[in-house]
Amino acid sequence: MVWVDVQYGSSLPLNAITAGTDNHLNPIYIGRAKHGGDIIVGMVCPVQHTLYLSYHHQEYEVSHDYQVLTNPGGRTRLAWVWVGEREKMPSGAIVGGRQSNGTPLMIGRTRHAGSMVVGKVETYEHRLYYPMHEQEHHTEKFEVLVR
C-alpha cells in the first residue's frame, strides 16, 4: 500500500482503495492530511474533490495537499473487520495516521445516515471518530481495515 499525494482538481489514482459509497452511491475513498499537528485519516469524496476529516469536535474540509491510500496491483490483501464495543483491535490493523504525541490512528469505517463514512480509530478510547454534517461524531461499533 502506498499513500499518494492528491492536488486540487486532479483525478484520484486508479488503484485508490474504495471504502464504500455515500447515500447517492458515489464512491468514498480513504485519505489523510496533516491538521493540528496530527496526521488524520478521513474520507475522500471525489465528486467534491475534497477530503473530509474530524478534529476536536468539528468536520474539516481539505481540498489541497492531501493523500489517498492506494493498493498498486492489488498486491496487499485487505479486509474490513468488525470491532464491537470493547473488543480487541484485530491483528494487522492498518495505521493510517498519528497524533502529534506519536499515538497511532487506525483506519475505520461505519454507516451514518445511509453513507459509509471513514475516520480515525483511537485505540486507547476504542472509538471511531468521523466527520459528518460539519461535526465530529464517534461510535464504539465500527470496522477497521486490516491486512
Side-chain angles (χ1 to χ4, degrees):
M1 294 177 310
V2 178
W3 289 98
V4 175
D5 293 333
V6 176
Q7 301 302 319
Y8 181 75
S10 63
S11 297
L12 296 182
L14 294 177
N15 52 8
I17 298 172
T18 305
T21 59
D22 65 16
N23 57 357
H24 301 290
L25 301 180
N26 296 311
I28 300 293
Y29 297 89
I30 302 164
R32 70 180 185 181
K34 293 179 182 175
H35 188 85
D38 298 348
I39 299 173
I40 301 176
V41 177
M43 58 185 172
V44 177
C45 299
V47 172
Q48 292 94 0
H49 298 283
T50 302
L51 165 70
Y52 295 91
L53 57 85
S54 64
Y55 184 78
H56 288 218
H57 312 292
Q58 294 184 37
E59 175 186 71
Y60 290 90
E61 298 178 11
V62 179
S63 57
H64 294 81
D65 301 323
Y66 62 88
Q67 295 180 312
V68 65
L69 186 59
T70 65
N71 188 6
R75 285 178 264 167
T76 305
R77 291 186 62 114
L78 301 171
W80 292 98
V81 175
W82 176 254
V83 179
E85 292 181 72
R86 303 191 206 318
E87 289 182 24
K88 284 187 171 183
M89 194 62 52
S91 65
I94 297 171
V95 175
R98 292 204 179 274
Q99 294 178 327
S100 59
N101 65 7
T103 302
L105 299 170
M106 307 305 179
I107 301 167
R109 74 177 185 179
T110 193
R111 281 225 169 262
H112 181 102
S115 293
M116 186 62 71
V117 291
V118 177
K120 61 186 178 185
V121 176
E122 294 186 354
T123 55
Y124 60 90
E125 290 186 357
H126 194 80
R127 288 186 178 157
L128 167 67
Y129 290 88
Y130 60 92
M132 182 60 74
H133 305 301
E134 301 179 10
Q135 296 179 354
E136 178 178 64
H137 299 268
H138 70 272
T139 181
E140 294 175 356
K141 297 177 182 178
F142 54 90
E143 293 175 296
V144 67
L145 187 62
V146 300
R147 61 175 112 211

